[in-house]
Amino acid sequence: MANSDHIVLLDYSVSPFAMRVRLALAAKGVEYLIKEEDLTQSKSSLLLKVNPVHKKIPVLIHNGKPVCESLIIVEYIDEVWKDRCRLLPADPYQRAKAKFWADFIDKMVYPSGYKVWAANGEVQEAGKKEFIDRIKMLEGELKSNPYFGGETLGFLDIAFLPLYYWFHTLETFGKFSIEAECPKLVAWGKRCMEEEFVYTSLPHPHKVYDLVVDYKKKMGI
Amino acid sequence: MAEEVKLFGMWASPFSRRIEVALKMKGIQYEYIEEDLSNKSPSLLNYNPVHKKVPVLLHKGKPVAESLVILEYIDETWKQNPILPADPYEKAMARFWAKFLDEKLWPAAKKVVLSKGEEHKGLIEEIQEHLKTLESELKEKKFFGGESLGFVDIAANIIFWLLVVQETLGLDILTEDKFPGLHEWNHRLLDDAVFKECVSMERLLASFKVRFGALTASK
């Protein structure tokens, strides 16, 4: 399968959703071509063709067939390249827990994070409190393990890691310290950053900040 | 085999009814606990402290929450009558459409119920855009799952709640002429023995008329 696979990722380097897919592909050692979308410009005809419903990145195009929605793409990658580096556990209950928390990140954590980096005043303040309260719940899920996946990085680590890379950006815009509130989570993030497949896939947190500043300016946020 | 399965649910919640469809399709025995959402039981709050919502499936004492997560758990645990396709790409497509239903169609349908006359037009257009997308995904198929009822069909039960809303408020949203495929699909679902048990259309209509029927006066 490896040599005849053609994989293209419609990407945007600082998007935490796209970052999840890059992490999953790197974890599995899958080779792919990146087509960077500029989200500050109008959408490419390729993007509109492969994701007509949502018109969003990331989109994974595997041998011409598109898969959309970051967590769905990560699960797809895990199932196709199932012979190596398992991301979701085998046990159905553990799988359900990982999916539940990944869904929690999307439904509850990201919207709060958005208020922190894109809003100001009362909305931002409310966002900061909400964000901390919610990531604290996630921190509890680590228990005494080095990773959410247990002894090794798994699905939930990949789902959350891009947000860790955004912590510095959120702290700078929000003028608060996430480490002071969630030291275990920050320790987890630093641990993950040491993995080669992680640091080669994601822009450094300081670079994320620069990219977000640029994005905000261009989009008038 | 003492495989204790409990479902904390609410008869009028499409998310809760989805789980009943899956359990019944697979022939799984379970104990059903009806929750009063205005007075949630300590058990529910204990088993779903994060969202405090139904449905929650309890299997051998371990809770699973979020309806689509529960459906996948059921499919992986009880392998008879599979709900999701085996092929990874087809599975990804099924997950995509279920997510679309929950994140696009459902919020728009909810807004219609809670909005007044003038706001209806824009919301109806939005819902019909989503229905158009679903209609073209359904195409010539019997079900979203193909020849048999699957994951997306179960998730699409929210369309029945939309039908209840449109009848209660006297609105034309999902009509036979505009959406012939979805119209046929509705009938096929209501003909299915298991699915029919898990919708309670008359009871929903009666309940909605009481709660929201008065809003038609402002049309």
Side-chain angles (χ1 to χ4, degrees), chain A residues 51 53-54 56 65-70 72 75-76 79-80 90-97 99-101 103-104 106-108 137, chain B residues 48-51 59 62-66 69 72-73 76-77 79 86-93 95-97 99-100 103-104 133:
Chain A
N51 191 358
V53 175
H54 300 300
K56 286 181 170 176
K65 299 204 291 193
V67 186
C68 307
E69 298 295 295
S70 62
I72 294 177
E75 275 193 83
Y76 174 79
E79 287 160 15
V80 170
D91 172 67
Y93 183 67
Q94 296 303 325
R95 292 164 71 84
K97 276 206 336 194
K99 288 179 202 180
F100 172 87
W101 285 107
D103 174 74
F104 174 82
D106 279 3
K107 283 202 181 103
M108 311 289 276
M137 292 170 102
Chain B
N48 191 0
V50 174
H51 299 299
H59 183 213
K62 299 201 276 199
V64 186
E66 291 301 295
V69 175
E72 293 209 28
Y73 174 81
E76 289 166 13
T77 306
K79 308 240 198 259
D87 171 69
Y89 187 74
E90 297 306 317
K91 211 184 272 196
M93 290 299 102
R95 288 172 174 147
F96 175 88
W97 288 111
K99 196 162 190 253
F100 174 83
E103 292 182 1
K104 295 286 177 189
T133 304

Side-chain angles (χ1 to χ4, degrees), chain B residues 48-60:
Chain B
N48 191 0
V50 174
H51 299 299
K52 307 175 176 46
K53 286 180 175 178
V54 293
V56 175
L57 186 81
L58 198 67
H59 183 213
K60 296 184 195 172

